[in-house]
Amino acid sequence: MAKWSKKIVGLVASVMLGLSFGSMNEVSAYREPVFTTNLGGLPISCSVYAEQVGIGSIHTGDSPQAVQAQYGSPKNISDEGGIRHYYDGMIFTFVDFSGEKKPVLADIRITKNMKVGNNATPAGVAVGMSENVLTQAYGMADEVYIEKHTAPKLSEAQNQKYDERLNRTVYTYNANECLSMHFIVINGIITEIRIHLSD
């Protein structure tokens, strides 16, 4: 009986030690916020690493060739406000910041979960998921913007339609003063992911 008691105590101690290490790893996965100013001079916090800001293995600064290697040829290409490559539910915008005809990826917009290829962030967050995954993946957002539409003369039931279709919350995570990742949420569901690199 004493042997079993020692084994049980040893097992419980091992599990507790494993849980404490597991929780330390989870906490250490979050970046300690860095405080700086954005390009407009406003104070911001930066709570994610640059490598966390991307879709699949694609990140801002990548070439059009790198995107095509991951997703194939785009369905359409336009040249308005940068070179835009359109895929099903994704738009990649390339900008020639250097002026040397070497455009780099400056903006990523994901509006649909295609279930084909990888259109999730490196942490596994994708369009169609609950907004609750954001805190689990990245911690508290650096900025939260709430857009609410109301029609004061309409009934509460009629205003519910505004709430369902137009009201949205934007959670922003900054990597630095130039690189940010935005999650647009409607009715608790992520409907769009936007990654933007400013120059």
Side-chain angles (χ1 to χ4, degrees):
M1 189 72 162
K3 284 184 183 180
W4 284 105
S5 295
K6 287 181 183 178
K7 285 185 180 181
I8 290 172
V9 169
L11 181 62
V12 169
S14 297
V15 168
M16 295 301 288
L17 186 61
L19 288 174
S20 66
F21 277 122
S23 62
M24 284 192 316
N25 288 337
E26 187 176 312
V27 171
S28 65
Y30 299 136
R31 177 182 178 189
E32 189 69 32
V34 174
F35 300 95
T36 185
T37 56
N38 65 14
L39 298 179
L42 290 172
I44 61 169
S45 59
C46 302
S47 298
V48 293
Y49 296 103
E51 55 269 18
Q52 292 176 293
V53 181
I55 296 295
S57 61
I58 300 299
H59 294 80
T60 55
D62 286 349
S63 68
Q65 294 78 15
V67 173
Q68 287 186 28
Q70 172 93 23
Y71 295 106
S73 296
K75 288 187 167 193
N76 190 23
I77 297 175
S78 72
D79 192 1
E80 48 189 72
I83 302 165
R84 292 187 181 163
H85 289 204
Y86 294 87
Y87 292 83
D88 187 23
M90 300 187 295
I91 303 171
F92 296 95
T93 304
F94 300 89
V95 176
D96 183 11
F97 290 124
S98 68
E100 298 175 0
K101 297 189 178 179
K102 293 181 180 175
V104 295
L105 185 57
D107 194 83
I108 302 169
R109 185 176 174 203
I110 308 297
T111 58
K112 167 168 135 174
N113 188 346
M114 305 170 305
K115 310 242 188 264
V116 175
N118 187 353
N119 60 338
T121 68
V125 177
V127 169
M129 291 183 170
S130 165
E131 67 184 320
N132 297 331
V133 302
L134 296 175
T135 306
Q136 295 166 7
Y138 305 111
M140 183 185 296
D142 291 306
E143 182 183 334
V144 178
Y145 172 77
I146 299 171
E147 186 176 300
K148 186 164 178 61
H149 296 260
T150 58
K153 295 180 181 176
L154 297 179
S155 70
E156 187 176 327
Q158 290 168 320
N159 267 294
Q160 184 66 28
K161 295 206 183 290
Y162 281 88
D163 190 42
E164 290 169 2
R165 292 182 55 197
L166 299 176
N167 293 352
R168 63 189 198 142
T169 303
V170 180
Y171 296 92
T172 299
Y173 294 87
N174 300 310
N176 55 48
E177 60 275 6
C178 297
L179 180 60
S180 56
M181 181 166 54
H182 313 275
F183 297 90
I184 292 86
V185 172
I186 297 176
N187 292 325
I189 301 298
I190 299 168
T191 59
E192 183 179 331
I193 300 172
R194 185 94 183 254
I195 295 169
H196 186 73
L197 174 67
S198 302
D199 181 38

